C-alpha cells in the first residue's frame, strides 16, 4: 500500500495514509527505508501519515469517520490508504455499523474526489462483504 502511495506521488498526486495500531509510524518508515520506491523527503509535503486509532477507540466508527472527513478537508489528498479495517470491525457494534461506515466513506470519497483503499489482514474466505473486493 505504501508503494502505491509513492507511485501516486510520482505522478503528481497527494496521498494520506491512516495507519493501523499494530505498528508505529516510526517502525513502518524504518521498514520502508530499504525499498527503492521510498522517498522520505515527500513525507509531510505530499504524503501524510496519521493514526485514527484514538478516535476509533474513544468514539467508535463514527468518530473515525469524522476524523477522516476533517483530514480530507484539510489535506485534500487524491489517494487515501485506510489500513486497519479489521480493527474497525472489532470496534463496531454490528456488521450493519461497518456497512454504514463503508457507505459513508464512499460518500466522502466521491465528495472530495479521492480514491480510498481499505486495507485489512482478515481472511478473505471468511467474508463476503463488498468491502473485501
Amino acid at each position: 500500500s505504501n508503494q502505491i502511495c509513492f507511485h501516486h506521488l510520482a505522478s503528481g498526486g497527494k496521498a494520506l495514509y491512516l495507519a493501523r495500531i499494530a505498528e508505529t509510524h516510526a517502525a513502518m518508515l524504518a521498514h520502508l527505508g530499504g525499498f527503492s520506491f521510498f522517498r522520505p523527503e515527500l513525507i509531510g509535503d505530499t504524503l501524510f501519515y496519521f493514526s485514527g486509532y484514538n478516535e476509533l477507540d474513544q468514539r467508535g466508527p463514527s468518530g473515525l469517520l469524522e476524523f477522516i472527513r476533517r483530514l480530507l478537508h484539510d489535506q485534500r489528498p487524491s489517494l487515501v490508504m485506510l489500513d486497519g479495517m479489521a480493527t474497525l470491525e472489532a470496534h463496531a457494534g454490528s456488521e450493519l455499523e461497518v456497512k454504514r461506515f463503508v457507505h459513508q466513506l464512499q460518500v466522502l470519497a466521491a465528495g472530495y474526489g479521492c480514491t480510498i483503499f481499505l486495507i485489512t489482514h482478515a481472511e478473505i474466505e471468511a467474508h463476503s462483504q463488498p468491502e473485501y473486493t
Side-chain angles (χ1 to χ4, degrees):
S1 55
N2 273 286
Q3 187 174 9
I4 292 170
C5 284
F6 282 97
H7 179 75
H8 185 70
L9 301 178
S11 64
K14 190 174 180 183
L16 175 67
Y17 198 107
L18 282 155
R20 60 196 164 112
I21 186 146
E23 184 176 44
T24 66
H25 291 138
M28 180 175 56
L29 295 175
H31 291 293
L32 289 173
F35 290 100
S36 61
F37 64 81
F38 183 62
R39 304 233 350 249
E41 69 274 11
L42 298 177
I43 298 170
D45 183 31
T46 54
L47 174 59
F48 301 90
Y49 288 93
F50 290 94
S51 172
Y53 183 77
N54 285 337
E55 286 77 9
L56 179 60
D57 190 45
Q58 294 172 11
R59 297 178 43 220
S62 63
L64 177 59
L65 195 66
E66 176 56 27
F67 180 66
I68 292 169
R69 188 203 60 73
R70 286 193 317 266
L71 290 174
L72 293 176
H73 179 268
D74 295 346
Q75 303 299 328
R76 302 290 178 166
S78 46
L79 177 71
V80 176
M81 292 291 174
L82 178 54
D83 189 355
M85 281 301 293
T87 304
L88 177 111
E89 289 173 346
H91 281 79
S94 67
E95 186 178 319
L96 180 59
E97 189 175 12
V98 174
K99 289 182 181 204
R100 279 190 189 126
F101 176 88
V102 171
H103 172 73
Q104 292 169 338
L105 198 59
Q106 290 171 328
V107 170
L108 284 176
Y112 282 96
C114 66
T115 299
I116 300 178
F117 284 85
L118 305 178
I119 313 296
T120 190
H121 69 274
E123 295 293 326
I124 238 159
E125 299 85 29
H127 298 284
S128 61
Q129 295 90 354
E131 61 266 23
Y132 285 94
T133 58

